[in-house]
Each structure stands twice: as structure tokens, then as C-alpha cells.
Amino acid sequence: MAAVPVCMDNPLLITDSYKVTHHRQYPPGTTTVYSYFECRGGKFPEVVFFGLQYIIKKWLIGPVITAEKIQEAKEIYKLHFGHEVFNEEGWSYILKEHGGRIPIKIKAVPEGTVVPVKNVLFSVENTDPKVPWITNWFETVLVQIWYPLTVATNSRAQKIVIAKYLSETADNLDGLPFKLHDFGFRGSTSVEAAAIGGSAHLVNFQGTDTIAGLVCAKKFYSCPMAGFSIPAAEHSTVTSWGKSGEVNAFRNMLQQFPTGLVAVVSDSYDIWNACEKVWGQELRDMVIKRGKDGGTLVIRPDSGEPADVVVKVLTILGRVFGTTKNSKGFKMLPKYLRVIQGDGISYESIPTILERMKKLEWSADNLAFGSGGALLQRLDRDTQKCAYKCSYAIINGKGANVFKQPITDIGKKSKKGKLALEYDGGKYRTVEEGKGDPAKDVLVPVYENGKLLKEYTFDEIRARAEIPLLLKSSKNKPNKTH
């Protein structure tokens, strides 16, 4: 049997069912619908805007409506609803008059920008007065920006925490880009989710095992290589040697990869014995010799309570391999030896681990983190309270500010009128009801009538999203590239 072809390639099928009937529901004489997207609050006070370019390139560029796709949608919706509700006439009009290109325009904050919650991030409005309903037809797919936006925001928040502890306990921040490694591919809901979320993490870091994220960054953001990895063992490549052969499995890793970084999961049986006896005695000379050739062994524990395990592993390794103190008085393992904790890692657990290390006078530079589910999966649209709402319409030639204000949840109150996102005095502020100053508005036209108007590179996005501490460090070292 041949592989099943991609089934979701029809823009007429990427909306919520009830929107199929919405063309009949606007007031008679409606010619314009203007809607906007914001994060109404949530876990983090500011968000990294990322992922709109992916959605636009995937779904909206060029002639995306065809007669065949209209017919496919008509047949599906007839069966789905049990009677004719699909706007065949409206979509056929778009095919005829616009060549199948979507007649909307989108203005958005530049990707990578860090914006406080409760501000407009992008706006959408129809460009043809005969199809005002199309603005909110695409709400469903456009709101899916919540995912890359939230992953990038969560990842950046963890970068801020790690940078804080490095600044307090390490000589420099040079290793920061590789301190949080993406282990989330297998835990993602789909390959596409891994691609989107994996690329969003790479806005902040450069370590990943989620190859789909690299491909996404290359295809949609013109980045030849957004992330890097190293040879690493998994449990099967260790346990297949048998319990008594664990030392041989470890030795094989050092022999197969005699230079550079190599990571070895070491908790298959007894992590304490592996650190003290296997690495610390039987293979100690080999590890040290490899270090003289510029190699670094990264030991990976993968079970137990993370903070307890990390500090005990460091203590054992420090005892058998020795330590030095850095310029800030914190202990460092030899340069050829490091640890990565890839189990139980999240925004909540990282500061717990690093604070314990700090109290025991271990530098944060001894440790890297790997994160999977908490990085790419343990979040949803409500993590940052993402929403897309209509705020302005033109009905019978008259503009009308549109909003909702439910008495049961004031937090869901929406904004009124056409919006501007002004940046003034180092602060962002959303101005409602069309009263914004165009000279201060940072919303940029990015799409109109089937054309991408502004394309961002990954380098640009990373630069905008950079954390203040690293920007400050870079300014203090103008001739050094981190």
C-alpha cells in the first residue's frame, strides 16, 4: 500500500465548522470586518511573537483556492451539516475575481519582538467589500500561532533563569546558547507540531535533537542550520551490552567518538556506581586522555529527583576527577567533563536545580539541560490566553467599533476599533478606536492579497528576542561574538 498523501491542503477545510455559516450572520450591508490577535494574560508577563510567517507561507501565498477545492469543500460540508450551508458563491467569486488569492491584509509586530501581554500583536481585515466574512474564516488557522509563540516564550523565560545563575556562578555566558537542549520530538503530537515547536525553541537556543525544527527554520525562515547536536547514547545502545558489559558500552562510546563532545546516558542500572567506579576508576584514564585531545564527556543521569541527582552526580565526579574554582569562587569539573540533566526539566524545576547547585558552591556552567514534554507539549492556548476578536466593522458605509464585555469574565473584554501598537519611551501600548499615531505604530504590513510583503530571517528574529542580560554582556564585549 502506498503512503497516504497529505490530506489537509485545502484552505476551505481549515476552519471551525460554525464559521462555514457565518457569511449569513453579519448585519446586512457589512463590507469590512477587522479583527486582531492578542495574549490577554497568562503565565508569563511578556511574549515572543513568532510563527506567523510559517502560517502565511503554508496556507496563504499565491492562488490557494481552486475549483477542485471548492467542490471538495462543498461535498464535505453537505455531508457534515446534512444540508447546503457552504458559501460556494462567495468562494467562487474569490476564485474568479482574485484568481484564488485570499483578499485580506495582515499587519503584525515584527517576529521575535518581545511584547507585554494585553497588546495587539497582529490585525486582519478583508480587502474586498464583497467578502467581509473572510477575515474571521481564517481565525482558526491564524490563532494556531499560539503554539510557536508560547513555546518561544517559555523557552526564553528558561533562558533568562539559566543566564541569571550563570552570571552569578560562571566566568561568562558563552555557553548559554547550548544550555537548554530540545528533547521533545517524540513527545510531540505530530511531526508538524515538532517542527513548529522545535523551531520556536531555536529562537532562543542552538541545541536540539528535534530535526523537524531545523527543517522548519530552513524552509520557512531561510536559516541554513538553526541548531546543533552531538553523538549521544540512548539506553538501548548501553543495555544491549548487558549489565556486566556496561563498562564496555561506555568504553565503546569513547572509542567510536574519540574527539569532541559525546554524551552517555549512565543510569541504566546504578548511576552512582557508573560515576564513581566505571567512569571514575575503570575508564578514568581514558576520559582524561580524551580530554587532552580536546574531547568532553557529558554524563547524563535520566531518573530520580532532578535536583538531588544532579548535585550527587556532581559531588561524586568532583571527588574522583577533582575540581577547580572559577573567578567567582564556584567549583568547576575539569574541562573534559560535564553533566546534562534531561529528565524532569521545566521552567519550574530549572531554578530549583540551579539554586541547589549554587548553595553547594557548584557553578551552573557544569550543567546543561534537556527538555521534552515541558518544552513542546505542556502548554496550550490558555497558557498565554491567546484570542482573536473582531474590533471594527463597516456596515452600510459607517464605521463601527465592535467589542465584547461579558459580565461573567471581565478578563475576556476585547478591544475596540482599529488598533495601533505604539512604542514610545521604551514601552509598548495598544491604542484603540483608530486613535493611534502611525509614526509610532510598530505593526508592519506582512501580507496582502496572496503576497508576502515582509519576510523575516531567523537571525533577525533571534536578535529581537535576545534577553537583556546577554545584550548587556554583548555590549560590554563589543569585539566578541557569543
Side-chain angles (χ1 to χ4, degrees):
M1 180 179 177
V4 177
V6 175
C7 59
M8 293 305 297
D9 63 349
N10 188 343
L12 305 184
L13 301 175
I14 57 168
T15 197
D16 299 307
S17 295
Y18 72 156
K19 289 185 179 294
V20 178
T21 67
H22 287 179
H23 64 286
R24 299 184 183 181
Q25 299 179 31
Y26 289 103
T30 300
T31 54
T32 294
V33 171
Y34 172 101
S35 296
Y36 74 97
F37 176 91
E38 71 171 323
C39 295
R40 295 187 293 210
K43 182 175 182 179
F44 301 106
E46 57 187 15
V47 297
V48 180
F49 186 71
F50 176 73
L52 182 61
Q53 184 166 295
Y54 169 85
I55 295 171
I56 291 173
K57 283 188 172 185
K58 181 174 175 62
W59 291 110
L60 299 178
I61 300 299
V64 297
I65 305 302
T66 64
E68 292 76 17
K69 289 178 180 178
I70 293 173
Q71 184 62 30
E72 179 188 26
K74 179 181 178 180
E75 293 172 1
I76 287 176
Y77 290 133
K78 175 67 181 296
L79 292 171
H80 183 47
F81 286 96
H83 55 96
E84 296 286 359
V85 296
F86 175 60
N87 188 9
E88 181 180 6
E89 180 183 356
W91 287 107
S92 296
Y93 170 84
I94 290 172
L95 176 60
K96 179 182 178 181
E97 298 299 325
H98 296 279
R101 293 171 174 82
I102 305 302
I104 60 174
K105 60 181 176 182
I106 303 174
K107 293 178 66 178
V109 66
E111 296 211 20
T113 305
V114 180
V115 182
V117 297
K118 300 183 179 180
N119 280 296
V120 57
L121 296 173
F122 68 83
S123 65
V124 184
E125 64 180 305
N126 59 294
T127 59
D128 186 326
K130 292 186 178 181
V131 292
W133 47 268
I134 200 170
T135 299
N136 275 37
W137 177 278
F138 285 100
E139 173 186 0
T140 307
V141 71
L142 289 171
V143 167
Q144 289 189 341
I145 194 177
W146 76 260
Y147 179 60
L149 176 154
T150 306
V151 172
T153 299
N154 179 44
S155 171
R156 184 176 183 272
Q158 293 174 79
K159 186 176 184 178
I160 290 172
V161 172
I162 296 170
K164 171 183 177 292
Y165 281 93
L166 283 173
S167 69
E168 294 171 351
T169 69
D171 286 337
N172 54 60
L173 301 177
D174 292 357
L176 181 58
F178 294 94
K179 287 299 185 182
L180 183 61
H181 201 89
D182 178 3
F183 285 177
F185 201 162
R186 70 190 61 181
S188 295
T189 55
S190 66
V191 173
E192 184 181 18
I196 298 168
S199 64
H201 169 67
L202 290 169
V203 169
N204 305 294
F205 290 92
Q206 295 181 40
T208 186
D209 264 31
T210 301
I211 295 172
L214 306 176
V215 176
C216 183
K218 181 178 181 180
K219 288 187 174 182
F220 293 90
Y221 289 92
S222 303
C223 183
M225 183 48 59
F228 305 90
S229 191
I230 64 173
E234 70 173 22
H235 286 104
S236 76
T237 65
V238 174
T239 57
S240 57
W241 293 73
K243 186 174 183 179
S244 62
E246 184 178 51
V247 63
N248 296 323
F250 291 176
R251 182 183 292 110
N252 180 64
M253 288 296 294
L254 300 181
Q255 292 172 337
Q256 292 295 328
F257 309 101
T259 60
L261 289 153
V262 64
V264 184
V265 62
S266 301
D267 77 324
S268 297
Y269 307 106
D270 183 342
I271 182 66
W272 320 128
N273 180 73
C275 290
E276 186 158 10
K277 302 294 175 113
V278 183
W279 292 119
Q281 293 182 13
E282 294 183 68
L283 300 177
R284 184 175 184 275
D285 291 344
M286 195 173 183
V287 171
I288 294 172
K289 182 178 183 301
R290 189 174 180 277
K292 291 179 180 178
D293 295 329
T296 300
L297 168 65
V298 183
I299 294 175
R300 178 163 71 94
D302 196 47
S303 53
E305 200 289 316
D308 292 342
V309 171
V310 166
V311 296
K312 187 170 181 178
V313 164
L314 288 171
T315 299
I316 294 171
L317 294 176
R319 184 167 63 244
V320 295
F321 285 97
T323 64
T324 57
K325 287 196 174 183
N326 63 20
S327 62
K328 295 180 180 176
F330 287 87
K331 291 180 287 187
M332 289 294 302
L333 292 172
K335 290 184 178 180
Y336 55 77
L337 190 61
R338 291 293 182 264
V339 177
I340 184 168
Q341 174 64 31
D343 180 60
I345 297 305
S346 66
Y347 174 73
E348 291 75 21
S349 68
I350 286 175
T352 300
I353 296 167
L354 293 176
E355 184 63 27
R356 181 85 68 85
M357 288 174 60
K358 181 181 175 182
K359 288 181 178 179
L360 294 174
E361 298 182 346
W362 283 102
S363 171
D365 218 11
N366 290 288
L367 183 67
F369 298 99
S371 185
L375 184 65
L376 301 188
Q377 284 293 121
R378 203 177 302 160
L379 33 80
D380 55 38
R381 184 166 69 93
D382 288 330
T383 301
Q384 293 303 137
K385 301 184 185 296
C386 298
Y388 181 107
K389 297 298 173 187
C390 175
S391 62
Y392 179 80
I394 296 178
I395 305 167
N396 294 319
K398 295 182 179 181
N401 293 331
V402 179
F403 69 101
K404 59 177 282 191
Q405 188 173 329
I407 63 170
T408 48
D409 188 350
I410 195 64
K412 288 192 172 183
K413 177 183 177 182
S414 62
K415 293 174 168 51
K416 300 178 183 179
K418 288 199 168 185
L419 308 176
L421 180 63
E422 294 187 357
Y423 185 73
D424 191 19
K427 294 183 179 181
Y428 290 99
R429 179 175 70 100
T430 296
V431 182
E432 303 181 38
E433 301 185 48
K435 297 177 181 178
D437 181 351
K440 296 179 180 178
D441 190 5
V442 300
L443 297 181
V444 177
V446 295
Y447 173 88
E448 186 168 351
N449 300 338
K451 295 181 180 179
L452 185 68
L453 302 179
K454 177 66 178 176
E455 183 166 5
Y456 298 105
T457 67
F458 220 65
D459 286 343
E460 289 178 282
I461 294 166
R462 279 174 161 168
R464 290 192 191 97
E466 192 56 271
I467 64 172
L469 189 59
L470 203 60
L471 290 173
K472 181 180 178 181
S473 176
S474 298
K475 288 179 180 179
N476 291 338
K477 301 177 182 179
N479 296 319
K480 186 169 183 178
T481 301
H482 292 291

